[in-house]
Amino acid sequence: MKKELTRQQYLDLYYYMRLNRAVEDMMVKLFRQNKIVGGLYSSLGQEAISVGTAYALEKKDWLAPMIRNIGALLAKGVRPRDIFMQHMAKYDSPTKGKDGTSHFGDLDVLHIVSPISMLGDLIPVMTGVAMAGRYLGQKTVAMTWIGDGGSSTGVFHEGLNFAAVQKAPFVLILENNLWAYSTPVRKQVPLENLADRAKAYGIESYIVDGNDVVAVYSTAKEAVERARAGEGPILIEAKSFRRLGHAQHDAAEYVPKEMRAYWEARDPIALYEKFLSSEKLLDAQGKKEVEQKIDTLLAAEREFAENSPMPPAELAETGVYCTGDGCHKIRAKWERPIAEVTPPRSSVKAVWTVPGFGSGKGSGGANAPIHFGDTKPAEDVAGNGTRSAKGGKPAGKTPAKVAPKKIVKAAPAGASRKARR
């Protein structure tokens, strides 16, 4: 770890990591009390990645978390009560109790796109968000996360290639926590560094110790600013370890005890506390104050969440489909003149001629004279732009007679070849 940040930045990173872990510890208690109705997924040991990367974003930037990125939500400004209520399916939750996990966002204020359960699908979505910000002149950066297992999906590669071709201001954080559910990384990817996958798309990449929050933040900050400056998308591989199973139902007995013990000794919060102490940035009293602040906050947030009512039954039939402004009002926020990105008016009339297709009107109601190449264009009738549909004759006139085709009888069966000629 290097001493490069301001004192407040160092302490912010510490606070959010401690808050991340405390929120998840609180939710484990709620889960065991049957107050959480959906799945619960832990990021124990990976807090430095979520917090360090999200902290590198500006308020105007966009992020899309995955199920283990609660730290990113907290660093972006989401209240713990919203996370509690969301998992408890309460009426005051961001989704009004219609989701029991982490599928919620805030498009208007915090610029958070809801998670997508199909792994990798957030990559093309956030590429689009990044491109939209550039189009609107906002100079924003979009960020999302993917696991080592998710990096083997087709949409990961399609999305990253699309981002590379478009030079989108997009940063992808690849959390290599050594296990794709119960599958070791080495059994699904023949690479030592997953960051090498960026080479296939001609984009830059970084590799960082995912348990060193300062290194994670510094790397992410550099990547974000490079993307903002127009250098295109950047991939960051953060190497870490998932110290709990996939979810509460998974005891993760497939993980060797020696491996778990090794990574528990590299707990990111414990490592950071040692660093802050050595740099005279945090002492025992400061640590106690942070703990008390978090305990007080979460006690109030939990009480609010538990007192929130369950959604009324009639709510189930509403909000199934977005109805436009009645659902939510999201408008493009231009940071440059709209005329700058509006195509100029064409000096060429939208009229075409295709031999062999008669005549008619275009979809907009304007006349579209399409006529046979060997006939004259249909004449205008009564000056209203109506055209004849046959042979180029004005509408209402009798079309020219067509000579009947000559009928040739087939030769009787068994006739000689000469007779059939």
Side-chain angles (χ1 to χ4, degrees):
M1 295 184 183
K2 299 179 181 179
K3 188 175 181 180
E4 322 177 307
L5 286 65
T6 66
R7 176 184 177 84
Q8 188 59 50
Q9 287 176 318
Y10 282 118
L11 295 179
D12 282 350
L13 291 173
Y14 179 66
Y15 171 77
Y16 284 122
M17 280 205 296
R18 289 294 303 267
L19 182 60
N20 182 171
R21 185 165 295 183
V23 166
E24 291 192 8
D25 287 344
M26 180 74 75
M27 287 201 295
V28 169
K29 296 176 182 177
L30 293 171
F31 182 87
R32 292 174 178 173
Q33 294 172 357
N34 289 326
K35 293 177 179 178
I36 284 182
V37 300
L40 187 59
Y41 308 89
S42 173
S43 67
L44 181 64
Q46 298 179 216
E47 296 91 346
I49 301 175
S50 292
V51 171
T53 52
Y55 192 71
L57 296 172
E58 295 183 8
K59 185 177 180 179
K60 65 181 180 180
D61 293 330
W62 290 78
L63 64 78
M66 292 199 3
I67 56 177
R68 304 187 199 282
N69 298 123
I70 284 179
L73 294 175
L74 295 169
K76 201 72 165 67
V78 174
R79 300 174 300 180
R81 67 174 62 177
D82 290 332
I83 297 172
F84 293 154
M85 291 189 296
Q86 184 69 21
H87 285 77
M88 297 165 75
K90 292 301 188 80
Y91 181 64
D92 295 319
S93 70
T95 59
K96 299 296 182 183
K98 290 196 172 187
D99 180 77
T101 55
S102 56
H103 298 92
F104 72 98
D106 184 343
L107 302 180
D108 194 37
V109 178
L110 298 180
H111 293 179
I112 298 174
V113 175
S114 173
I116 299 176
S117 293
M118 284 64 74
L119 300 181
D121 279 33
L122 280 171
I123 297 173
V125 168
M126 296 310 288
T127 296
V129 170
M131 292 168 61
R134 179 174 61 193
Y135 182 72
L136 295 171
Q138 296 173 346
K139 296 188 181 299
T140 54
V141 174
M143 175 184 289
T144 191
W145 293 258
I146 191 71
D148 46 83
S151 71
S152 294
T153 61
V155 73
F156 168 91
H157 297 278
E158 295 168 7
L160 203 54
N161 181 71
F162 179 55
V165 170
Q166 297 296 330
K167 291 186 70 68
F170 169 63
V171 177
L172 176 61
I173 312 301
L174 201 168
E175 298 180 276
N176 185 350
N177 58 25
L178 300 180
W179 293 88
Y181 205 128
S182 58
T183 302
V185 173
R186 292 299 178 87
K187 288 191 175 183
Q188 59 132 338
V189 182
L191 295 172
E192 180 177 355
N193 298 314
L194 300 183
D196 289 346
R197 288 182 154 172
K199 296 178 182 178
Y201 309 108
I203 65 174
E204 296 294 327
S205 64
Y206 296 90
I207 299 174
V208 65
D209 179 355
N211 287 31
D212 181 342
V213 69
V214 175
V216 171
Y217 165 76
S218 300
T219 302
K221 188 67 175 177
E222 181 176 326
V224 166
E225 293 311 313
R226 289 181 64 183
R228 197 186 311 279
E231 294 188 35
I234 295 177
L235 172 67
I236 300 175
E237 179 188 0
K239 296 180 182 289
S240 185
F241 178 74
R242 170 164 55 81
R243 282 164 52 190
L244 287 179
H246 177 71
Q248 286 294 309
H249 64 270
D250 177 18
E253 295 178 350
Y254 44 81
V255 177
K257 294 181 180 179
E258 297 79 10
M259 175 181 285
R260 189 185 302 279
Y262 172 83
W263 285 99
E264 286 177 349
R266 289 188 53 77
D267 181 273
I269 295 179
L271 289 176
Y272 194 43
E273 286 178 345
K274 291 180 181 179
F275 168 77
L276 294 176
S277 177
S278 67
E279 297 295 335
K280 310 298 185 195
L281 295 169
L282 183 72
D283 55 18
Q285 180 60 29
K287 180 179 176 181
K288 184 177 180 180
E289 291 175 357
V290 171
E291 291 173 349
Q292 290 177 340
K293 180 180 179 180
I294 292 176
D295 289 344
T296 301
L297 171 66
L298 294 191
E301 297 290 272
R302 174 178 176 170
E303 182 179 4
F304 184 94
E306 292 199 79
N307 289 330
S308 174
M310 298 302 289
E314 57 269 20
L315 185 70
E317 66 177 1
T318 66
V320 178
Y321 300 101
C322 178
T323 56
D325 288 348
C327 174
H328 63 279
K329 294 183 179 181
I330 300 296
R331 298 290 183 268
K333 297 178 180 179
W334 294 91
E335 300 295 338
R336 59 175 174 168
I338 296 180
E340 185 178 322
V341 291
T342 301
R345 291 183 178 276
S346 176
S347 60
V348 179
K349 294 182 179 180
V351 176
W352 58 96
T353 300
V354 180
F357 281 90
S359 63
K361 287 189 176 183
S363 60
N367 187 39
I370 307 173
H371 61 86
F372 290 93
D374 58 352
T375 62
K376 293 181 180 181
E379 297 178 5
D380 196 346
V381 176
N384 61 4
T386 304
R387 301 286 181 170
S388 169
K390 288 191 178 182
K393 297 292 184 179
K397 297 288 184 71
T398 303
K401 293 184 178 180
V402 179
K405 294 182 180 180
K406 184 178 181 180
I407 300 176
V408 179
K409 293 184 178 181
S416 66
R417 181 178 300 177
K418 183 177 180 180
R420 290 199 302 262
R421 289 179 180 174

